[in-house]
Amino acid sequence: QTVVTQEPSLTVSPGGTVTLTCASSTGAVTSGNSPKWFQQKPGQAPRALIYSTSNRHSWTPARFSGSLLGGKAALTLSGVQPEDEAEYYCLLYYGGVRVFGGGTKLTVL
Amino acid sequence: EVQLVESGGGLVQPGGSLRLSCAASGFTFSNYEMNWVRQAAGKGLECVSYISNSGSTIYYADSVKGRFTISRDNSKNSLYLQMNSLRAEDTAVYYCTRGTGFDYWGQGTLVTVSS
């Protein structure tokens, strides 16, 4: 069974930069895994941020960027805002199978 | 405006059944694959099932295979999830989401399996 691993928690200061990663138990993450990123705040449904590794949705602030980094998918937040405090999930495709990571709780402090 | 509205959740005893619905609006429903994703309280997201735009391709997570059935009615812009033989571990909020991009999500419907 494929496992997708994210950092359980990260802390960043307002205005700072943080990178969240998404690793695959099958090996290096590639563009073929079509990495996606989602943000979820307490009591809300997830919101899509990034698709196909690095593409922002029309509603995604420019401070969010996606990439491949060291064999993992990565989500970088630059100039972090207090409202960015949330849980972040990645999603990877493996042919017909879609697997979410366990999520990263991002604290802005 | 794209909208996805789930309904049909509730309290059900172990071994029971529920049928979830997702009403879609604001886009051409028949052009999009659709997904059901669930989230247990305090836990992460799990892709439960998806169905292609025509209904010809269907996927189920191993955890629900043989018990859940996904379907859609493109004439009614609606997605369904028939859940049978429910277990306590199926307790979760169930979301419907649009397309291979999972770009739009409903607000979710809570399914509680308990005696």
Side-chain angles (χ1 to χ4, degrees):
Chain A
Q1 183 169 343
T2 302
V3 177
V4 177
T5 302
Q6 300 181 242
E7 297 87 357
S9 64
L10 291 170
T11 300
V12 61
S13 300
T17 297
V18 65
T19 297
L20 290 64
T21 67
C22 176
S24 172
S25 63
T26 64
V29 176
T30 71
S31 58
N33 296 117
S34 192
K36 298 172 178 47
W37 291 92
F38 303 87
Q39 178 192 66
Q40 187 179 34
K41 297 182 178 180
Q44 296 183 14
R47 181 175 75 133
L49 292 175
I50 299 287
Y51 64 97
S52 299
T53 306
S54 59
N55 295 282
R56 294 185 201 91
H57 290 280
S58 58
W59 53 80
T60 303
R63 63 182 181 273
F64 292 86
S65 62
S67 65
L68 294 177
L69 197 63
K72 301 178 183 180
L75 176 70
T76 299
L77 287 71
S78 305
V80 171
Q81 302 295 308
E83 61 264 29
D84 297 333
E85 183 163 293
E87 192 87 21
Y88 291 84
Y89 293 94
C90 66
L91 173 64
L92 299 181
Y93 278 34
Y94 300 88
V97 181
R98 294 97 186 262
V99 183
F100 283 97
T104 295
K105 179 173 176 55
L106 182 66
T107 300
V108 181
L109 200 58
Chain B
E1 179 194 6
V2 172
Q3 285 199 321
L4 299 170
V5 180
E6 302 94 337
S7 60
L11 175 63
V12 62
Q13 292 189 339
S17 298
L18 276 179
R19 189 194 196 206
L20 305 185
S21 298
C22 172
S25 61
F27 65 101
T28 304
F29 182 73
S30 59
N31 285 352
Y32 287 86
E33 179 177 294
M34 296 295 294
N35 316 277
W36 287 102
V37 174
R38 71 182 179 184
Q39 184 173 38
K43 303 296 185 182
L45 301 170
E46 180 187 14
C47 185
V48 172
S49 182
Y50 67 80
I51 184 169
S52 62
N53 63 324
S54 66
S56 60
T57 299
I58 285 175
Y59 162 86
Y60 298 104
D62 287 343
S63 56
V64 307
K65 203 171 293 183
R67 301 187 298 121
F68 289 12
T69 301
I70 191 171
S71 63
R72 64 190 296 159
D73 186 337
N74 287 344
S75 69
K76 294 182 178 179
N77 292 339
S78 292
L79 176 71
Y80 306 102
L81 187 67
Q82 177 67 43
M83 304 187 297
N84 298 331
S85 303
L86 282 161
R87 306 167 179 166
E89 54 264 36
D90 296 318
T91 295
V93 175
Y94 285 73
Y95 297 100
C96 71
T97 80
R98 188 182 83 160
T100 56
F102 292 67
D103 55 359
Y104 286 91
W105 296 60
Q107 84 290 347
T109 187
L110 176 62
V111 172
T112 302
V113 185
S114 175
S115 54

Short mmCIF file of all heavy atoms in Angstrom, two decimals, chain A residues 29-86:
data_model
loop_
_atom_site.label_atom_id
_atom_site.label_comp_id
_atom_site.label_asym_id
_atom_site.label_seq_id
_atom_site.Cartn_x
_atom_site.Cartn_y
_atom_site.Cartn_z
N VAL A 29 8.94 11.57 -6.11
CA VAL A 29 7.71 12.16 -6.67
C VAL A 29 8.09 12.84 -7.98
O VAL A 29 9.10 13.57 -8.05
CB VAL A 29 7.09 13.16 -5.69
CG1 VAL A 29 5.87 13.83 -6.33
CG2 VAL A 29 6.69 12.46 -4.39
N THR A 30 7.30 12.62 -9.00
CA THR A 30 7.54 13.25 -10.30
C THR A 30 6.30 14.00 -10.75
O THR A 30 5.23 13.92 -10.13
CB THR A 30 7.89 12.19 -11.36
OG1 THR A 30 6.70 11.44 -11.67
CG2 THR A 30 8.98 11.26 -10.89
N SER A 31 6.44 14.71 -11.83
CA SER A 31 5.28 15.42 -12.38
C SER A 31 4.18 14.45 -12.76
O SER A 31 3.00 14.81 -12.79
CB SER A 31 5.69 16.27 -13.57
OG SER A 31 6.27 15.46 -14.58
N GLY A 32 4.56 13.21 -13.05
CA GLY A 32 3.57 12.19 -13.38
C GLY A 32 2.62 11.87 -12.23
O GLY A 32 1.53 11.36 -12.45
N ASN A 33 3.05 12.16 -10.99
CA ASN A 33 2.17 11.99 -9.83
C ASN A 33 1.19 13.15 -9.71
O ASN A 33 0.35 13.16 -8.80
CB ASN A 33 2.98 11.88 -8.55
CG ASN A 33 3.87 10.65 -8.52
OD1 ASN A 33 5.10 10.75 -8.47
ND2 ASN A 33 3.26 9.47 -8.55
N SER A 34 1.33 14.16 -10.59
CA SER A 34 0.42 15.30 -10.63
C SER A 34 0.13 15.86 -9.23
O SER A 34 -1.02 15.94 -8.80
CB SER A 34 -0.90 14.88 -11.29
OG SER A 34 -1.70 16.00 -11.58
N PRO A 35 1.17 16.27 -8.50
CA PRO A 35 0.96 16.72 -7.12
C PRO A 35 -0.02 17.87 -6.99
O PRO A 35 0.00 18.82 -7.78
CB PRO A 35 2.36 17.16 -6.68
CG PRO A 35 3.31 16.43 -7.58
CD PRO A 35 2.59 16.36 -8.90
N LYS A 36 -0.87 17.75 -5.98
CA LYS A 36 -1.84 18.80 -5.68
C LYS A 36 -1.71 19.14 -4.20
O LYS A 36 -1.33 18.31 -3.38
CB LYS A 36 -3.26 18.31 -5.99
CG LYS A 36 -3.47 17.98 -7.45
CD LYS A 36 -4.81 17.33 -7.68
CE LYS A 36 -5.03 17.03 -9.15
NZ LYS A 36 -3.92 16.39 -9.85
N TRP A 37 -2.08 20.36 -3.87
CA TRP A 37 -2.02 20.84 -2.49
C TRP A 37 -3.35 21.47 -2.11
O TRP A 37 -3.97 22.18 -2.92
CB TRP A 37 -0.90 21.85 -2.32
CG TRP A 37 0.46 21.25 -2.43
CD1 TRP A 37 1.23 21.14 -3.55
CD2 TRP A 37 1.24 20.68 -1.36
NE1 TRP A 37 2.43 20.53 -3.25
CE2 TRP A 37 2.46 20.24 -1.91
CE3 TRP A 37 1.02 20.50 0.01
CZ2 TRP A 37 3.45 19.64 -1.14
CZ3 TRP A 37 2.00 19.90 0.77
CH2 TRP A 37 3.20 19.47 0.20
N PHE A 38 -3.75 21.24 -0.86
CA PHE A 38 -5.01 21.74 -0.34
C PHE A 38 -4.77 22.36 1.04
O PHE A 38 -3.89 21.91 1.79
CB PHE A 38 -6.03 20.60 -0.21
CG PHE A 38 -6.27 19.87 -1.50
CD1 PHE A 38 -5.47 18.82 -1.87
CD2 PHE A 38 -7.29 20.26 -2.35
CE1 PHE A 38 -5.67 18.14 -3.08
CE2 PHE A 38 -7.51 19.60 -3.55
CZ PHE A 38 -6.69 18.55 -3.92
N GLN A 39 -5.57 23.35 1.35
CA GLN A 39 -5.55 24.00 2.66
C GLN A 39 -6.88 23.73 3.35
O GLN A 39 -7.94 23.82 2.71
CB GLN A 39 -5.37 25.52 2.48
CG GLN A 39 -5.39 26.31 3.75
CD GLN A 39 -5.49 27.81 3.46
OE1 GLN A 39 -6.49 28.28 2.94
NE2 GLN A 39 -4.44 28.55 3.79
N GLN A 40 -6.82 23.39 4.62
CA GLN A 40 -8.05 23.20 5.39
C GLN A 40 -7.95 23.90 6.73
O GLN A 40 -7.03 23.67 7.49
CB GLN A 40 -8.35 21.72 5.59
CG GLN A 40 -9.72 21.47 6.24
CD GLN A 40 -10.03 20.01 6.42
OE1 GLN A 40 -9.15 19.19 6.68
NE2 GLN A 40 -11.30 19.64 6.30
N LYS A 41 -8.92 24.76 6.99
CA LYS A 41 -9.02 25.44 8.27
C LYS A 41 -10.08 24.74 9.11
O LYS A 41 -10.98 24.08 8.55
CB LYS A 41 -9.33 26.91 8.07
CG LYS A 41 -8.21 27.64 7.32
CD LYS A 41 -8.49 29.12 7.16
CE LYS A 41 -7.30 29.78 6.45
NZ LYS A 41 -7.51 31.23 6.26
N PRO A 42 -9.99 24.87 10.43
CA PRO A 42 -10.93 24.15 11.30
C PRO A 42 -12.38 24.42 10.95
O PRO A 42 -12.79 25.57 10.74
CB PRO A 42 -10.58 24.69 12.69
CG PRO A 42 -9.15 25.08 12.60
CD PRO A 42 -8.98 25.60 11.20
N GLY A 43 -13.14 23.35 10.84
CA GLY A 43 -14.57 23.46 10.57
C GLY A 43 -14.93 23.75 9.12
O GLY A 43 -16.11 23.95 8.82
N GLN A 44 -13.93 23.79 8.27
CA GLN A 44 -14.19 24.09 6.86
C GLN A 44 -13.80 22.92 5.96
O GLN A 44 -13.01 22.06 6.34
CB GLN A 44 -13.40 25.32 6.42
CG GLN A 44 -13.78 26.60 7.14
CD GLN A 44 -13.02 27.80 6.61
OE1 GLN A 44 -12.39 27.75 5.54
NE2 GLN A 44 -13.06 28.89 7.34
N ALA A 45 -14.37 22.91 4.77
CA ALA A 45 -13.96 21.95 3.77
C ALA A 45 -12.57 22.32 3.25
O ALA A 45 -12.16 23.49 3.31
CB ALA A 45 -14.95 21.93 2.61
N PRO A 46 -11.83 21.35 2.75
CA PRO A 46 -10.54 21.69 2.13
C PRO A 46 -10.72 22.63 0.94
O PRO A 46 -11.78 22.65 0.29
CB PRO A 46 -10.01 20.32 1.67
CG PRO A 46 -10.69 19.34 2.56
CD PRO A 46 -12.05 19.91 2.79
N ARG A 47 -9.69 23.41 0.67
CA ARG A 47 -9.69 24.32 -0.47
C ARG A 47 -8.47 24.01 -1.33
O ARG A 47 -7.35 23.90 -0.79
CB ARG A 47 -9.64 25.77 0.02
CG ARG A 47 -9.66 26.81 -1.09
CD ARG A 47 -9.72 28.21 -0.52
NE ARG A 47 -8.44 28.64 0.05
CZ ARG A 47 -7.88 29.82 -0.19
NH1 ARG A 47 -8.47 30.68 -1.01
NH2 ARG A 47 -6.73 30.15 0.40
N ALA A 48 -8.68 23.87 -2.62
CA ALA A 48 -7.57 23.57 -3.52
C ALA A 48 -6.66 24.78 -3.66
O ALA A 48 -7.14 25.92 -3.80
CB ALA A 48 -8.11 23.15 -4.88
N LEU A 49 -5.35 24.54 -3.62
CA LEU A 49 -4.36 25.61 -3.77
C LEU A 49 -3.54 25.47 -5.06
O LEU A 49 -3.35 26.42 -5.79
CB LEU A 49 -3.39 25.59 -2.59
CG LEU A 49 -3.91 25.97 -1.21
CD1 LEU A 49 -2.80 25.76 -0.18
CD2 LEU A 49 -4.39 27.41 -1.19
N ILE A 50 -3.00 24.26 -5.27
CA ILE A 50 -2.03 24.01 -6.33
C ILE A 50 -2.42 22.72 -7.05
O ILE A 50 -2.82 21.74 -6.40
CB ILE A 50 -0.60 23.85 -5.77
CG1 ILE A 50 -0.13 25.11 -5.04
CG2 ILE A 50 0.38 23.44 -6.88
CD1 ILE A 50 0.21 26.27 -5.94
N TYR A 51 -2.29 22.71 -8.39
CA TYR A 51 -2.50 21.49 -9.14
C TYR A 51 -1.34 21.27 -10.12
O TYR A 51 -0.62 22.22 -10.45
CB TYR A 51 -3.85 21.52 -9.89
CG TYR A 51 -3.95 22.59 -10.96
CD1 TYR A 51 -3.72 22.31 -12.29
CD2 TYR A 51 -4.31 23.90 -10.62
CE1 TYR A 51 -3.81 23.28 -13.26
CE2 TYR A 51 -4.40 24.88 -11.57
CZ TYR A 51 -4.16 24.57 -12.90
OH TYR A 51 -4.25 25.55 -13.87
N SER A 52 -1.18 20.04 -10.54
CA SER A 52 -0.11 19.69 -11.48
C SER A 52 1.23 20.29 -11.06
O SER A 52 1.87 21.01 -11.84
CB SER A 52 -0.49 20.14 -12.91
OG SER A 52 -1.66 19.49 -13.34
N THR A 53 1.62 20.00 -9.86
CA THR A 53 2.91 20.37 -9.26
C THR A 53 3.01 21.85 -8.87
O THR A 53 3.37 22.16 -7.73
CB THR A 53 4.10 20.04 -10.19
OG1 THR A 53 4.05 18.66 -10.56
CG2 THR A 53 5.42 20.34 -9.50
N SER A 54 2.72 22.75 -9.82
CA SER A 54 3.09 24.14 -9.57
C SER A 54 2.07 25.17 -10.05
O SER A 54 2.36 26.37 -10.03
CB SER A 54 4.43 24.42 -10.26
OG SER A 54 4.33 24.17 -11.66
N ASN A 55 0.92 24.73 -10.49
CA ASN A 55 -0.08 25.67 -11.03
C ASN A 55 -1.04 26.15 -9.95
O ASN A 55 -1.63 25.34 -9.24
CB ASN A 55 -0.86 24.99 -12.15
CG ASN A 55 0.01 24.66 -13.33
OD1 ASN A 55 0.36 25.52 -14.13
ND2 ASN A 55 0.41 23.40 -13.44
N ARG A 56 -1.15 27.45 -9.82
CA ARG A 56 -2.10 28.02 -8.85
C ARG A 56 -3.49 28.09 -9.47
O ARG A 56 -3.66 28.36 -10.65
CB ARG A 56 -1.68 29.44 -8.47
CG ARG A 56 -0.40 29.55 -7.72
CD ARG A 56 -0.18 31.01 -7.28
NE ARG A 56 1.23 31.24 -7.01
CZ ARG A 56 2.11 31.66 -7.89
NH1 ARG A 56 1.73 31.93 -9.13
NH2 ARG A 56 3.37 31.81 -7.56
N HIS A 57 -4.49 27.87 -8.63
CA HIS A 57 -5.86 28.16 -9.05
C HIS A 57 -6.05 29.68 -9.06
O HIS A 57 -5.23 30.42 -8.51
CB HIS A 57 -6.85 27.50 -8.08
CG HIS A 57 -6.88 26.01 -8.19
ND1 HIS A 57 -7.57 25.35 -9.19
CD2 HIS A 57 -6.29 25.06 -7.44
CE1 HIS A 57 -7.41 24.04 -9.03
NE2 HIS A 57 -6.63 23.84 -7.98
N SER A 58 -7.13 30.10 -9.67
CA SER A 58 -7.34 31.54 -9.83
C SER A 58 -7.47 32.24 -8.48
O SER A 58 -7.20 33.43 -8.38
CB SER A 58 -8.60 31.79 -10.66
OG SER A 58 -9.73 31.19 -10.06
N TRP A 59 -7.88 31.52 -7.46
CA TRP A 59 -8.08 32.11 -6.14
C TRP A 59 -6.87 31.96 -5.22
O TRP A 59 -6.90 32.42 -4.08
CB TRP A 59 -9.29 31.45 -5.48
CG TRP A 59 -9.21 29.94 -5.46
CD1 TRP A 59 -8.51 29.15 -4.58
CD2 TRP A 59 -9.85 29.05 -6.36
NE1 TRP A 59 -8.68 27.84 -4.90
CE2 TRP A 59 -9.50 27.74 -5.98
CE3 TRP A 59 -10.69 29.23 -7.47
CZ2 TRP A 59 -9.97 26.61 -6.67
CZ3 TRP A 59 -11.14 28.10 -8.15
CH2 TRP A 59 -10.79 26.81 -7.76
N THR A 60 -5.83 31.31 -5.66
CA THR A 60 -4.68 31.03 -4.80
C THR A 60 -3.74 32.23 -4.78
O THR A 60 -3.26 32.68 -5.83
CB THR A 60 -3.91 29.81 -5.31
OG1 THR A 60 -4.79 28.68 -5.38
CG2 THR A 60 -2.75 29.48 -4.38
N PRO A 61 -3.47 32.77 -3.58
CA PRO A 61 -2.54 33.90 -3.49
C PRO A 61 -1.15 33.56 -4.05
O PRO A 61 -0.70 32.41 -3.96
CB PRO A 61 -2.47 34.17 -1.99
CG PRO A 61 -3.73 33.61 -1.43
CD PRO A 61 -4.02 32.40 -2.27
N ALA A 62 -0.49 34.54 -4.61
CA ALA A 62 0.81 34.34 -5.25
C ALA A 62 1.89 33.91 -4.26
O ALA A 62 2.93 33.39 -4.68
CB ALA A 62 1.23 35.61 -5.97
N ARG A 63 1.65 34.10 -2.97
CA ARG A 63 2.66 33.70 -1.98
C ARG A 63 2.75 32.17 -1.84
O ARG A 63 3.68 31.67 -1.20
CB ARG A 63 2.40 34.34 -0.62
CG ARG A 63 1.11 33.94 0.05
CD ARG A 63 0.95 34.68 1.39
NE ARG A 63 -0.27 34.33 2.10
CZ ARG A 63 -1.43 34.93 1.90
NH1 ARG A 63 -1.51 35.91 1.00
NH2 ARG A 63 -2.50 34.57 2.59
N PHE A 64 1.80 31.46 -2.42
CA PHE A 64 1.85 30.00 -2.42
C PHE A 64 2.47 29.53 -3.74
O PHE A 64 2.02 29.92 -4.82
CB PHE A 64 0.45 29.38 -2.30
CG PHE A 64 -0.21 29.61 -0.98
CD1 PHE A 64 -0.94 30.76 -0.74
CD2 PHE A 64 -0.12 28.65 0.03
CE1 PHE A 64 -1.56 30.96 0.48
CE2 PHE A 64 -0.74 28.84 1.25
CZ PHE A 64 -1.45 30.01 1.48
N SER A 65 3.50 28.68 -3.64
CA SER A 65 4.08 28.13 -4.86
C SER A 65 4.39 26.65 -4.67
O SER A 65 4.75 26.22 -3.57
CB SER A 65 5.35 28.89 -5.25
OG SER A 65 6.33 28.78 -4.25
N GLY A 66 4.24 25.90 -5.76
CA GLY A 66 4.50 24.47 -5.72
C GLY A 66 5.68 24.11 -6.59
O GLY A 66 5.97 24.78 -7.59
N SER A 67 6.38 23.02 -6.22
CA SER A 67 7.55 22.59 -6.97
C SER A 67 7.87 21.15 -6.64
O SER A 67 7.20 20.52 -5.82
CB SER A 67 8.76 23.48 -6.63
OG SER A 67 9.11 23.31 -5.26
N LEU A 68 8.88 20.63 -7.34
CA LEU A 68 9.49 19.35 -6.98
C LEU A 68 10.86 19.67 -6.39
O LEU A 68 11.63 20.45 -6.98
CB LEU A 68 9.63 18.45 -8.19
CG LEU A 68 8.33 17.98 -8.83
CD1 LEU A 68 8.61 17.16 -10.08
CD2 LEU A 68 7.49 17.17 -7.84
N LEU A 69 11.13 19.06 -5.24
CA LEU A 69 12.35 19.42 -4.51
C LEU A 69 12.94 18.16 -3.87
O LEU A 69 12.31 17.56 -2.99
CB LEU A 69 11.99 20.44 -3.43
CG LEU A 69 13.08 21.27 -2.78
CD1 LEU A 69 13.76 22.15 -3.79
CD2 LEU A 69 12.46 22.11 -1.67
N GLY A 70 14.11 17.77 -4.35
CA GLY A 70 14.78 16.64 -3.72
C GLY A 70 13.96 15.36 -3.74
O GLY A 70 13.96 14.62 -2.75
N GLY A 71 13.24 15.10 -4.82
CA GLY A 71 12.46 13.88 -4.92
C GLY A 71 11.11 13.94 -4.23
O GLY A 71 10.43 12.92 -4.09
N LYS A 72 10.75 15.12 -3.78
CA LYS A 72 9.45 15.30 -3.12
C LYS A 72 8.68 16.42 -3.80
O LYS A 72 9.28 17.27 -4.46
CB LYS A 72 9.65 15.66 -1.65
CG LYS A 72 10.42 14.64 -0.83
CD LYS A 72 10.58 15.15 0.61
CE LYS A 72 11.42 14.19 1.45
NZ LYS A 72 11.58 14.69 2.85
N ALA A 73 7.39 16.43 -3.61
CA ALA A 73 6.61 17.61 -3.96
C ALA A 73 6.75 18.59 -2.82
O ALA A 73 6.87 18.19 -1.65
CB ALA A 73 5.15 17.25 -4.18
N ALA A 74 6.73 19.87 -3.15
CA ALA A 74 6.92 20.90 -2.13
C ALA A 74 5.94 22.03 -2.33
O ALA A 74 5.59 22.39 -3.46
CB ALA A 74 8.36 21.43 -2.17
N LEU A 75 5.50 22.58 -1.20
CA LEU A 75 4.66 23.77 -1.18
C LEU A 75 5.39 24.82 -0.36
O LEU A 75 5.69 24.58 0.81
CB LEU A 75 3.30 23.48 -0.55
CG LEU A 75 2.36 24.67 -0.39
CD1 LEU A 75 1.86 25.15 -1.75
CD2 LEU A 75 1.17 24.32 0.52
N THR A 76 5.71 25.93 -0.98
CA THR A 76 6.42 27.01 -0.30
C THR A 76 5.49 28.20 -0.09
O THR A 76 4.81 28.63 -1.02
CB THR A 76 7.66 27.43 -1.10
OG1 THR A 76 8.55 26.31 -1.21
CG2 THR A 76 8.39 28.57 -0.39
N LEU A 77 5.46 28.69 1.13
CA LEU A 77 4.70 29.90 1.47
C LEU A 77 5.72 30.99 1.77
O LEU A 77 6.54 30.84 2.67
CB LEU A 77 3.81 29.68 2.67
CG LEU A 77 2.56 28.82 2.54
CD1 LEU A 77 2.89 27.35 2.36
CD2 LEU A 77 1.64 29.03 3.74
N SER A 78 5.64 32.07 1.02
CA SER A 78 6.56 33.19 1.20
C SER A 78 5.78 34.39 1.71
O SER A 78 4.71 34.70 1.19
CB SER A 78 7.23 33.54 -0.13
OG SER A 78 7.88 32.41 -0.69
N GLY A 79 6.34 35.06 2.72
CA GLY A 79 5.60 36.18 3.30
C GLY A 79 4.34 35.69 3.99
O GLY A 79 3.24 36.17 3.74
N VAL A 80 4.52 34.73 4.89
CA VAL A 80 3.39 34.06 5.54
C VAL A 80 2.51 35.07 6.30
O VAL A 80 3.02 35.96 7.00
CB VAL A 80 3.90 32.97 6.49
CG1 VAL A 80 2.78 32.40 7.34
CG2 VAL A 80 4.57 31.85 5.69
N GLN A 81 1.22 34.88 6.16
CA GLN A 81 0.22 35.71 6.84
C GLN A 81 -0.42 34.91 7.97
O GLN A 81 -0.48 33.68 7.91
CB GLN A 81 -0.85 36.15 5.85
CG GLN A 81 -0.32 36.92 4.66
CD GLN A 81 0.30 38.24 5.08
OE1 GLN A 81 -0.33 39.03 5.79
NE2 GLN A 81 1.54 38.48 4.67
N PRO A 82 -0.93 35.60 8.99
CA PRO A 82 -1.59 34.88 10.10
C PRO A 82 -2.71 33.96 9.61
O PRO A 82 -2.90 32.88 10.17
CB PRO A 82 -2.13 36.01 10.98
CG PRO A 82 -1.21 37.15 10.71
CD PRO A 82 -0.84 37.04 9.27
N GLU A 83 -3.40 34.37 8.56
CA GLU A 83 -4.51 33.57 8.05
C GLU A 83 -4.06 32.29 7.33
O GLU A 83 -4.89 31.47 6.93
CB GLU A 83 -5.41 34.39 7.11
CG GLU A 83 -4.73 34.92 5.87
CD GLU A 83 -4.23 36.36 6.06
OE1 GLU A 83 -3.91 36.74 7.20
OE2 GLU A 83 -4.17 37.07 5.03
N ASP A 84 -2.74 32.13 7.17
CA ASP A 84 -2.23 30.90 6.55
C ASP A 84 -2.14 29.75 7.54
O ASP A 84 -1.81 28.62 7.15
CB ASP A 84 -0.86 31.15 5.92
CG ASP A 84 -0.90 32.17 4.79
OD1 ASP A 84 -1.98 32.30 4.16
OD2 ASP A 84 0.11 32.83 4.55
N GLU A 85 -2.40 30.03 8.80
CA GLU A 85 -2.39 28.95 9.80
C GLU A 85 -3.51 27.99 9.47
O GLU A 85 -4.69 28.38 9.41
CB GLU A 85 -2.56 29.52 11.20
CG GLU A 85 -2.49 28.44 12.29
CD GLU A 85 -2.24 29.02 13.67
OE1 GLU A 85 -1.15 29.56 13.90
OE2 GLU A 85 -3.15 28.92 14.51
N ALA A 86 -3.16 26.74 9.22
CA ALA A 86 -4.12 25.75 8.73
C ALA A 86 -3.44 24.40 8.61
O ALA A 86 -2.24 24.27 8.87
CB ALA A 86 -4.66 26.17 7.35
#
